Amino acid sequence: MHLKIALLAGDGIGPEVIDQAVKVSDAIARKFNHSIEWTPALTGAAAIDAVGDPYPDQTHQVCLDADAILFGAIGHPRFDNDPSAKVRPEQGLLKMRQKLGLFANVRPTFTFPSLLDKSPLKRERIEGTDLVFLRELTGGIYFGERGRKDDGNTAFDTCTYTRKEIQRLAVKGFELAMTRSKKLCCVDKANVLESSRLWRETVQAMEKDYPEVEVSYEFVDAVAMRLVQWPNSYDVLITENLFGDILTDEASVISGSMGLMPSASVGTENALYEPIHGSFPQATGLGIANPLATVLSAAMLFEMSFGLIKEGSEIRRVVNLSLAEEIVTEDLKGKGEKGNSTTEVGDYLVQQIIG
Ligand code: IPM
Ligand code: MN
């Protein structure tokens, strides 16, 4: 198969972790007789510096022309500490999600047998955790009307959802639940928010189309608590943009390192794959960034965009090997132990694939 992939490395550790995912994907392509055409394009602070826009039209075109997009990370402290900055790298991410119509963000959380004791949560709490958040990504408070009033002394952000936006996300949730344990949890704040009441009403009305799926409705504050108490009691969870943003960061801690969790953002035409971690600017160029979340994002890309299941499994196999053999970066090593470099981890994965 010929795979056309847009490559958006972005800022901070983005380029380093992306390099490893490219090496691993190329090794997979060699092993399974595929060819990959990578087209790099600028995003984030790097794009602001080059052309003054964190998601330039040219990058958008590269994404439209590709079959799938592999993304690193964006963000730079120079903008975080400057509230007056007119353009910010993160705006590129939001613009990209919106222009590409990537309305469903798929964020799995699972545990790795060899890392059960690395999690801040007790082994017996997390053993067997294998859940997936479907976070709505192009609506809600992120994209609602916002502004200032009263000479700048009052600020507002609004959360708006249409029934259609909720339905298309919920369809993905029901469909995913059908391929797993047929359990779906709708996370909302329907005891307070009107938009949440529409979420609940819409999902309730869809239950009859999926009679085998057992749906539960839980308030977001309660989910935040149960997620760290009994994460293994959840399977597929659907939720709106901001709740999903917060809960998926919380969930990522369960596996033992944020550097491990991949994600996919899918729409009707395009799909983008990225690690859930940020650009980790303090680590840029030090060779300490964990590449596994990006490598696992590439596994999701093979599986979800191309239906290449064996290829995805092979990536997961070698990632598990690196964890078991402790060829890992310092975030996964014990106190005082030296980690392998980002590149060493990537090289190890490649060797195991072409072995
Ligand atoms: C994420 C990030 C983004 C978000 C930021 C960088 C805009 O935190 O992908 O979760 O809030 O969606
Ligand atoms: Mn986030």
Side-chain angles (χ1 to χ4, degrees):
M1 192 184 279
H2 183 66
L3 291 68
K4 280 180 71 174
I5 305 178
L7 195 60
L8 314 187
D11 305 319
I13 58 166
E16 302 161 49
V17 292
I18 280 284
D19 278 351
Q20 312 316 311
V22 167
K23 277 190 327 208
V24 168
S25 302
D26 283 338
I28 290 286
R30 267 207 306 285
K31 181 163 185 161
F32 292 90
N33 289 316
H34 303 300
S35 53
I36 306 183
E37 181 183 335
W38 301 100
T39 311
L42 288 173
T43 44
I48 296 178
D49 292 341
V51 294
D53 181 345
Y55 184 62
D57 289 346
Q58 205 188 346
T59 299
H60 184 53
Q61 196 54 50
V62 170
C63 291
L64 289 178
D65 291 343
D67 302 318
I69 305 156
L70 188 64
F71 182 77
I74 61 176
H76 196 285
R78 159 172 119 231
F79 299 90
D80 297 341
N81 303 329
D82 175 10
S84 69
K86 291 258 169 335
V87 275
R88 297 173 177 280
E90 289 79 4
Q91 288 164 348
L93 194 58
L94 300 180
K95 191 169 155 197
M96 175 164 73
R97 289 171 181 171
Q98 199 172 39
K99 286 186 77 170
L100 292 169
L102 306 173
F103 65 86
N105 186 212
V106 186
R107 292 189 171 183
T109 289
F110 43 86
T111 49
F112 298 87
S114 51
L115 291 184
L116 282 172
D117 295 316
K118 288 264 176 347
S119 171
L121 302 182
K122 292 196 187 79
R123 171 186 272 267
E124 64 266 28
R125 297 275 169 162
I126 59 169
E127 224 157 17
T129 298
D130 179 10
L131 57 86
V132 187
F133 271 96
L134 284 181
R135 164 189 174 194
E136 200 290 328
L137 203 57
T138 52
I141 203 164
Y142 272 65
F143 294 95
E145 207 186 311
R146 63 167 55 95
R148 296 274 182 120
K149 299 191 289 203
D150 305 333
D151 293 330
N153 294 309
T154 303
F156 62 95
D157 298 274
T158 35
C159 178
T160 306
Y161 270 107
T162 64
R163 200 180 294 275
K164 277 216 169 69
E165 284 174 321
I166 300 165
Q167 273 165 346
R168 65 181 182 180
L169 193 273
V171 163
K172 294 227 178 269
F174 277 106
E175 282 174 356
L176 185 61
M178 286 297 289
T179 67
R180 297 171 52 102
S181 76
K182 303 195 170 73
K183 265 182 20 194
L184 180 68
C185 177
C186 174
V187 184
D188 62 33
K189 188 72 187 170
N191 50 349
V192 178
L193 303 176
E194 196 54 38
S195 53
S196 282
R197 287 193 273 273
L198 183 62
W199 268 78
R200 205 172 266 219
E201 181 186 310
T202 305
V203 176
Q204 273 168 349
M206 295 169 75
E207 282 187 37
K208 62 173 180 344
D209 302 328
Y210 304 89
E212 286 172 58
V213 178
E214 180 197 326
V215 188
S216 64
Y217 298 86
E218 294 181 34
F219 298 139
V220 60
D221 46 353
V223 174
M225 190 173 66
R226 192 143 82 85
L227 201 53
V228 285
Q229 277 182 318
W230 299 113
N232 51 16
S233 67
Y234 287 113
D235 190 27
V236 179
L237 302 100
I238 53 173
T239 193
E240 59 112 275
N241 205 340
L242 183 61
F243 296 163
D245 179 47
I246 298 167
L247 292 178
T248 54
D249 265 29
E250 187 191 350
S252 74
V253 174
I254 296 166
S255 68
S257 168
M258 210 184 189
L260 290 172
M261 289 296 122
S263 78
S265 300
V266 300
T268 38
E269 308 285 330
N270 293 89
L272 175 143
Y273 301 84
E274 62 172 312
I276 77 155
H277 61 68
S279 59
F280 196 11
Q282 316 84 291
T284 307
L286 299 182
I288 59 169
N290 188 341
L292 295 183
T294 315
V295 168
L296 288 168
S297 300
M300 288 181 87
L301 178 150
F302 279 105
E303 292 162 350
M304 292 173 62
S305 276
F306 301 99
L308 298 173
I309 307 299
K310 284 202 306 280
E311 289 76 351
S313 309
E314 174 67 357
I315 295 182
R316 292 175 204 284
R317 182 184 74 83
V318 297
V319 165
N320 276 316
L321 266 180
S322 84
L323 294 172
E325 296 297 319
E326 295 190 32
I327 311 292
V328 290
T329 43
E330 65 178 30
D331 51 308
L332 295 176
K333 291 279 192 188
K335 266 212 176 73
E337 258 183 284
K338 202 175 160 314
N340 292 95
S341 72
T342 309
T343 314
E344 279 165 6
V345 174
D347 290 343
Y348 174 83
L349 299 173
V350 168
Q351 257 158 33
Q352 298 309 310
I353 292 168
I354 57 179

